[in-house]
Amino acid sequence: MAKAKRKKEEPIILVTNDDGVMAPGIRNLVEAIKGLGKIVVVAPDKPQSGMGHAITIGSPLRLQEVQLAEDTEAWSCSGTPVDCVKLAVDKILGQKPDICISGINHGPNHSINVIYSGTMSAAIEASIESIPSIGFSLLDYSMEADFTAARKYARIIVEKIIKRKTDKHLCLNVNFPAIDESLVNGIKVCRQAYAKYEEDFDERKDPAGKKYYWLTGAFVNFDKGKDTDVWALANNYVSVVPVQFDLTNYVLKTKLEKIF
């Protein structure tokens, strides 16, 4: 399999997503970062939203080179977003990229969404492998969404991270409000809001009379803080939340040590 080539000192930028290699979001992300380095795209061959950190272990994985954008090497992968990162490093690049960016996701990945998101799981997988990473999401599910502001701020953020020596496990969860570029108030570094979906399963019947269930629910924000991603987005900021794969609750750990 061909390996990505780059000019001397040119950073390699791995691009992936969970909406699929042909989704408008990933095309806009590639367009946003042109000129910042050697871009290599490895993304799912079909939508993989809500896959979280799933990996493929019971079936073969396939890679197919595709035409995505001029002067951009691009591959579709039959697996999950995390599979894409793993295969990109091992089989396509043959080395770790300088940065991995994921998105631009169609729909939000603020607050609790980070747990379920294939977009963010791809970024977190890169972080686990000591590759600085960023996940980008736009608060608009439409395939006709306007990515103008998202492109502008995605480039600003990627360029700042590339130019600075950062922690090898850096992982940023970035969300863009779905507003006109002129209305964006800037970038705000935040914490993850305490919010979740109050879920329900709508019971229905198919034409044969058999029951099936459709997940529904409403998003509820329990966090009134003005330092959260949900607050920032509601107030027309681009939210940036640093996340990590270490899920240890250190406060509780200290308390438990006194008990046990």
Side-chain angles (χ1 to χ4, degrees):
M1 186 168 290
K3 304 296 182 185
K5 296 179 181 180
R6 61 171 171 170
K7 301 173 185 177
K8 186 178 180 181
E9 302 303 325
E10 184 183 32
I12 289 181
I13 304 173
L14 173 62
V15 180
T16 189
N17 74 349
D18 73 353
D19 288 316
V21 71
M22 293 302 174
I26 200 168
R27 292 174 179 269
N28 276 274
L29 186 53
V30 168
E31 183 65 28
I33 61 169
K34 278 188 175 179
L36 296 182
K38 167 68 179 178
I39 301 170
V40 180
V41 176
V42 184
D45 60 4
K46 56 187 173 295
Q48 295 278 346
S49 294
M51 290 298 291
H53 216 92
I55 57 173
T56 302
I57 57 175
S59 58
L61 291 169
R62 302 185 188 279
L63 288 167
Q64 178 69 46
E65 193 162 13
V66 296
Q67 294 294 321
L68 186 67
E70 187 177 353
D71 299 324
T72 300
E73 181 180 346
W75 299 80
S76 70
C77 171
S78 62
T80 68
V82 173
D83 291 330
C84 290
V85 174
K86 290 178 177 292
L87 277 172
V89 172
D90 190 63
K91 296 301 180 184
I92 295 176
L93 299 176
Q95 64 184 86
K96 292 180 180 179
D98 294 277
I99 190 171
C100 174
I101 58 177
S102 183
I104 300 170
N105 188 65
H106 294 256
N109 275 319
H110 55 51
S111 62
I112 197 64
N113 292 288
V114 71
I115 300 296
Y116 306 102
S117 167
T119 299
M120 280 308 300
S121 287
I124 291 170
E125 176 63 25
S127 176
I128 292 170
E129 295 301 324
S130 302
I131 303 164
S133 62
I134 311 170
F136 293 106
S137 304
L138 174 66
L139 274 64
D140 191 332
Y141 289 100
S142 172
M143 290 295 112
E144 288 75 44
D146 182 1
F147 286 90
T148 305
R151 286 197 305 270
K152 173 184 175 179
Y153 285 96
R155 184 179 183 89
I156 289 171
I157 292 168
V158 172
E159 192 166 20
K160 284 181 180 295
I161 296 302
I162 286 177
K163 287 183 176 180
R164 288 167 171 77
K165 184 175 178 60
T166 59
D167 186 296
K168 63 184 179 181
H169 296 302
L170 175 138
C171 184
L172 303 180
N173 181 19
V174 178
N175 281 266
F176 305 109
I179 57 176
D180 187 85
E181 179 185 348
S182 64
L183 299 177
V184 178
N185 287 325
I187 298 171
K188 187 170 286 291
V189 178
C190 313
R191 64 176 174 86
Q192 178 182 319
Y194 171 49
K196 64 185 289 289
Y197 286 92
E198 296 289 353
E199 296 175 339
D200 191 17
F201 285 92
D202 186 15
E203 183 177 303
R204 306 178 185 181
K205 289 186 178 181
D206 65 19
K210 295 182 178 181
K211 292 180 181 179
Y212 69 95
Y213 301 91
W214 201 273
L215 179 63
T216 63
F219 180 76
V220 181
N221 180 23
F222 302 100
D223 198 324
K224 305 306 178 184
K226 294 184 178 181
D227 59 345
T228 72
D229 49 6
V230 173
W231 183 93
L233 291 159
N235 287 273
N236 295 345
Y237 288 95
V238 174
S239 68
V240 177
V241 177
V243 299
Q244 62 184 17
F245 51 82
D246 180 355
L247 301 181
T248 306
N249 184 328
Y250 287 99
V251 173
L252 184 56
K253 175 178 176 291
T254 300
K255 292 179 180 179
L256 289 174
E257 286 171 343
K258 296 177 181 178
I259 299 173
F260 298 105

